[in-house]
């Protein structure tokens, strides 16, 4: 008995190591933009020698870096003909909750200018003191604003970005400054070249003497942090942006007319690069993983949008060559028809910020209906990668719907970013039709960051390949819909909405609205009243990343502000609740544990261990009635210098090996009996 239990214990330990081990990853997570804001001094503002960004809050984020970009209008005016520069930048000593006075450092090589036109500078502060709300004060060599004369005016702007997960020893890995390269020094497409990787982040500042009179447009992979423009007596525009990792090799802008411009960018290093990241005590790690817990990097693999809301994959989901960009949790995918027995191809393109080799699991579920989640499906194909790089395919198919399942996974260049993606194709056929059509994809990485996507209407499987799909053109509330009949008296439109046939007429299925909940005053106000989108003061312009410590407080503040505006515009609008929203549903994500700490798993393991022990006791009693095994019977050490026993196998050991083989066959029969259709490859 002791031998058998010890043997199974070793097997269990090996399997646990196999499941829970992680590999050293070749990619590191990039820094995270926690918050950003900016402020300008307009040509009509009172002249001043400082630019103050008010009340910048630093939370408890780990590995912090604060950057400030400054853009200066330096066209010649009567009062001053020299170019204005920045003399210092400080965090503090003033602010609503500020007890520090920390000095920024000018980033070497970040200053770029066109004399008598524009000038840019970038300053940085590593590890600003946490739990402080201070003003950022930019001190200038000369005043900006209105000097008093009609044309005696200059403009300026400054913005900040707060990053976390930044290398505290070498926070800025490189910088580049570029002016217009043509002879005249004019164009309408500023651009600066950067060299960064997936574990880095770039930030830039662009300024121009353009008279376009509209805000500049950022490049396709950039996130706007701040912009300002003025035209007329003073022609000046500027913008600051950030860009994650290696999404692009440049940071670019566009405005409407040709003018002088200057652009400067720096690249910020991740603390993962030097393995120096610290865990914040209540910081704001970015997280879209289940349960909100992760190991420092909390970014899930994606079929489309990165957590910065930038598209990093195009055509991330495809079924039988019908492709779609995955832009949200639930993505509209026009209904695709196939037939029983036909070979189908479901293709996915996945981007993982730590590299495709960090993707541990990809699952595809078929036959879901509205409101279902991934695990509600009874038809699932799973692809898993073990810690040693080996791959495993498993199928959950209790109704024997699937046939000819095959998966091919390969790592290749992504299509729209300079990085590697995982291209994975699920080949399969259906033996019968499906009750419902929605398809779901479930993916997670070795850091246990997971995400699910749903594709609706999805896939319609026809029992007979000669069956014709019934289509109907319906006019409903003045709009024409094309319906595809998916069951008797039931159809679906291109938006994934369900329709039923009643009294020889197709009717759209929509949740009923209680007329008592409709507030017509509020509806009128929203539809017809103009809202003032300007900021009351500079503090209203401050925005936070949704994972920032201050996001929830800022959100509540904005809610109260919106309610006060609504109360002023429409005093009766808040008397009654607003109309219910159609087609809205929600569900609570299940609590996710590390598998080693999952209480349900622990209980299951204990139960199965107890069952295995009883089973082995019964087997031993059946085959060896009355025999008692002592520990000395199974202790065996070939050529052991202490016991001096000879090498070779004893009769007992041979018998135990034979019984171990019989036990394996018996367990396989048990698996086939209790888990029919479950395939391990």
């Amino acid at each position: 008995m002791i031998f058998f239990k010890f043997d199974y214990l070793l097997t269990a330990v090996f399997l646990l190591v196999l499941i829970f081990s992680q590999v050293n990853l070749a990619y590191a997570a990039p820094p995270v933009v926690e918050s950003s804001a900016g402020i300008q001094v307009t040509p009509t503002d009172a002249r001043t020698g400082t630019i103050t960004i008010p009340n910048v809050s630093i939370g408890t984020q780990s590995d912090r870096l604060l950057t400030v970009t400054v853009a200066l209008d330096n066209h010649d005016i009567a009062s001053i003909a020299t170019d204005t520069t920045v003399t210092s930048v400080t965090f503090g000593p003033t602010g609503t909750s500020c007890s520090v006075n920390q000095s920024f450092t000018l980033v070497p090589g970040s200053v770029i200018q066109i004399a008598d036109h524009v000038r840019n500078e970038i300053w940085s502060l590593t590890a600003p003191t946490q739990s402080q709300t201070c003003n950022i004060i930019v001190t200038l060599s000369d005043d900006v604003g209105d000097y008093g004369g009609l044309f005696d005016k200059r403009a300026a702007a400054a913005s900040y970005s707060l990053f976390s997960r930044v290398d505290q020893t070498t926070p800025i890995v490189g910088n580049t400054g570029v002016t217009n390269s043509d002879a005249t020094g004019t164009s309408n497409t500023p651009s600066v070249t950067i060299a960064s990787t997936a574990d880095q982040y770039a930030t830039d500042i662009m300024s121009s003497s353009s008279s376009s009179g509209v805000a500049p447009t950022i490049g396709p992979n950039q996130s706007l942090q701040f912009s300002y423009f003025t035209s007329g007596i003073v022609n000046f525009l500027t913008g600051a942006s950030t860009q994650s990792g290696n999404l692009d090799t440049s940071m670019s802008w566009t405005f409407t007319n040709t003018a002088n411009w200057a652009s400067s960018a720096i690249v910020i290093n991740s603390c993962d690069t030097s393995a120096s990241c610290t865990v914040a005590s209540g910081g704001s790690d970015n997280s879209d993983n289940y349960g909100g817990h992760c190991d420092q990097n909390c970014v899930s693999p994606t079929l489309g949008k990165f957590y910065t809301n930038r598209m990093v994959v195009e055509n991330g989901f495809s079924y039988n060559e019908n492709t779609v960009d995955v832009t949200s949790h639930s993505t509209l995918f026009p209904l695709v028809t196939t037939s029983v027995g036909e070979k189908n191809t479901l293709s996915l393109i996945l981007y993982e910020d730590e590299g495709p080799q960090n993707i541990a699991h990809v699952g595809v579920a078929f036959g879901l209906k509205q409101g279902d989640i991934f695990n509600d499906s009874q038809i699932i194909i799973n692809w898993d990668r073990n810690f040693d790089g080996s791959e495993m395919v498993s199928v959950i198919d209790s109704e024997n719907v699937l046939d000819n399942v095959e998966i091919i996974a390969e790592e290749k260049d992504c299509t729209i970013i300079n990085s590697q993606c995982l291209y994975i194709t699920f080949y399969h056929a259906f033996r019968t039709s499906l009750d419902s059509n929605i398809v779901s994809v479930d993916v997670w990485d070795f850091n246990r960051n997971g995400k699910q996507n749903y594709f609706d209407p999805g896939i319609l499987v026809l029992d007979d390949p000669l069956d014709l799909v019934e289509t109907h053109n319906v006019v409903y509330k003045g709009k024409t819909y094309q319906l595809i009949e998916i069951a008797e008296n039931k159809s679906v439109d291109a938006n994934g909405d369900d329709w039923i046939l009643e009294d020889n007429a197709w009717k759209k299925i929509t949740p009923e609205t209680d007329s008592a909940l409709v507030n017509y005053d509020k509806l009128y106000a929203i539809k017809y009243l103009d809202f003032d989108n300007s900021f009351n003061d500079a503090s209203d312009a401050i925005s936070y990343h949704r994972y920032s410590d201050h996001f929830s407080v800022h959100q509540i503040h904005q809610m109260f502000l919106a309610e006060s505006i609504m109360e002023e515009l429409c005093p009766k609008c808040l008397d009654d609740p607003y109309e219910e929203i159609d087609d809205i549903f929600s569900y609570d994500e299940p609590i996710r544990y590390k598998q080693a700490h999952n209480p349900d798993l622990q209980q299951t393991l204990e139960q199965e261990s107890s069952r295995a022990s009883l089973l082995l006791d019964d087997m031993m009693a059946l085959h060896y009635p009355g025999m008692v095994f002592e520990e000395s019977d199974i202790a065996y050490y070939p050529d052991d210098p202490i016991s001096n026993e000879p090498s070779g196998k004893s009769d007992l050991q041979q018998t135990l090996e034979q019984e171990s083989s019989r036990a394996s066959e018996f367990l396989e029969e048990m698996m086939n009996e209790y888990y029919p259709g479950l395939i391990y490859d």
Side-chain angles (χ1 to χ4, degrees), residues 71-128:
L72 300 167
D73 162 37
N74 275 336
H75 80 281
D76 288 344
I77 59 176
S79 297
I80 181 171
T82 60
D83 287 342
T84 301
T85 64
V86 179
T87 58
S88 68
V89 181
T90 62
F91 180 64
T94 60
T96 57
S97 179
C98 184
S99 60
V100 298
N101 185 10
Q102 297 176 285
S103 296
F104 285 70
T105 301
L106 178 64
V107 177
S110 68
V111 176
I112 193 69
Q113 70 174 358
I114 300 176
D116 302 327
H117 289 284
V118 292
R119 178 184 176 94
N120 299 332
E121 299 186 19
I122 302 179
W123 294 65
S124 68
L125 172 61
T126 304

Side-chain angles (χ1 to χ4, degrees), residues 10-22:
L10 287 177
T11 303
V13 171
F14 172 78
L15 289 174
L16 289 173
V17 171
L18 181 69
I19 293 171
F20 299 122
S21 293
Q22 296 186 19

Side-chain angles (χ1 to χ4, degrees), residues 145-166:
D146 188 357
Y147 276 78
L150 179 60
F151 299 99
D152 220 12
K153 309 173 189 297
R154 277 186 173 178
S159 63
Y160 86 91
S161 292
L162 173 63
F163 297 88
S164 63
R165 299 185 55 81
V166 176

Side-chain angles (χ1 to χ4, degrees), residues 558-568 574:
Q558 293 298 311
M559 181 184 70
F560 288 145
L561 178 63
E563 288 182 351
S564 65
I565 295 174
M566 178 69 78
E567 180 72 26
E568 179 180 351
L574 298 177

